Amino acid sequence: MATASTPVANGPTKKYAEAPEPRSPISDTTAARIKELYGIEPDVLRDLGVCEYEEWVCIPVMNGRMSYGPFWEYRLLPPYPNFARKSKHYRSEQLWLNDFENTSDVCIVVEDNWSAIKCWQAGYSSVALMGTHMSSEAALYLATTYAKSDVVLCLDKDATDKAVGYVKKYGLLFNSLRFVPIDQDLKWKTTEQIRELIGGSTV
């Protein structure tokens, strides 16, 4: 099961709306739909505490800088209704990333939670930036948390320039920081394709 490092005292800097409740354990129907879409096993979803609220799938967001427990990303599953907002975020912490820690010597950094969960299922540590922005605080967190790891940036094709820029800007903080270009989000790839693309050891 994914774990977070010991949190440090770090109060919220901005008040956000509370996540709607009550959340329910993820249903067999929703879990089967996620497996059909992304190849993520139902047991993995349950191990990570993924649940649901009405039409939303609720993904807990955790990292080692948190002091108030998880915040949440609420996501719709495709096909999306016309003009629907695909995701909503409910948070109170400063550091905006989701850390799925594993015992691999590789940490894959991606944009979205589904891709991060898919990489974690494949046996890697993974981090979702939940976007393409990597702040200096996020880079320092990654460099510290994964000080002995090979950290691999796998951002979308349209964020290639950003990823290359992050390697140049933050590379000296890391034991190893590299960029691997991808033709599609890792959530759409099989475990074998992810391992072939990334290399390194898994759990």
Side-chain angles (χ1 to χ4, degrees):
M1 183 173 178
T3 58
S5 305
T6 303
V8 298
N10 184 29
T13 58
K14 182 177 180 180
K15 186 173 180 61
Y16 289 83
E18 292 292 328
E21 295 183 346
R23 291 177 291 272
S24 303
I26 195 162
S27 67
D28 291 343
T29 300
T30 301
R33 176 63 177 148
I34 293 170
K35 181 177 180 179
E36 179 186 4
L37 284 168
Y38 308 127
I40 297 171
E41 295 294 334
D43 285 348
V44 168
L45 298 171
R46 295 187 175 100
D47 284 347
L48 294 174
V50 177
C51 48
E52 56 187 307
Y53 172 80
E54 297 180 348
E55 73 272 28
W56 299 92
V57 177
C58 312
I59 303 172
V61 179
M62 297 175 284
N63 60 66
R65 288 289 304 277
M66 303 189 73
S67 54
Y68 291 92
F71 52 95
W72 295 90
E73 180 182 59
Y74 280 39
R75 294 203 66 88
L76 294 175
L77 295 177
Y80 305 112
N82 289 338
F83 308 110
R85 185 177 178 183
K86 298 177 184 178
S87 64
K88 297 179 181 180
H89 302 102
Y90 302 91
R91 61 189 177 117
S92 62
E93 301 285 338
Q94 289 181 326
L95 187 57
W96 184 230
L97 55 79
N98 204 2
D99 187 357
F100 299 88
E101 193 173 352
N102 227 326
T103 57
S104 169
D105 62 2
V106 176
C107 174
I108 306 173
V109 180
V110 295
E111 291 185 27
D112 66 285
N113 275 311
W114 292 132
S115 292
I117 293 172
K118 190 68 173 286
C119 293
W120 188 78
Q121 177 178 273
Y124 295 102
S125 293
S126 58
V127 169
L129 296 176
M130 291 176 285
T132 61
H133 179 62
M134 182 190 289
S135 66
S136 57
E137 183 183 17
L140 184 59
Y141 173 87
L142 288 166
T144 303
T145 304
Y146 295 100
K148 297 181 180 180
S149 298
D150 177 21
V151 179
V152 184
L153 292 176
C154 288
L155 305 187
D156 294 354
K157 286 176 65 175
D158 59 2
T160 295
D161 289 345
K162 281 190 174 184
V164 172
Y166 295 147
V167 173
K168 292 179 179 178
K169 183 176 182 179
Y170 300 126
L172 292 178
L173 296 174
F174 290 79
N175 172 58
S176 172
L177 177 66
R178 59 189 173 99
F179 164 61
V180 172
I182 55 176
D183 56 358
Q184 60 181 175
D185 288 355
L186 296 186
K187 63 177 174 280
W188 303 117
K189 293 187 178 294
T190 65
T191 293
E192 291 72 22
Q193 288 171 330
I194 292 172
R195 289 175 177 167
E196 182 178 355
L197 180 70
I198 302 300
S201 67
T202 57
V203 174

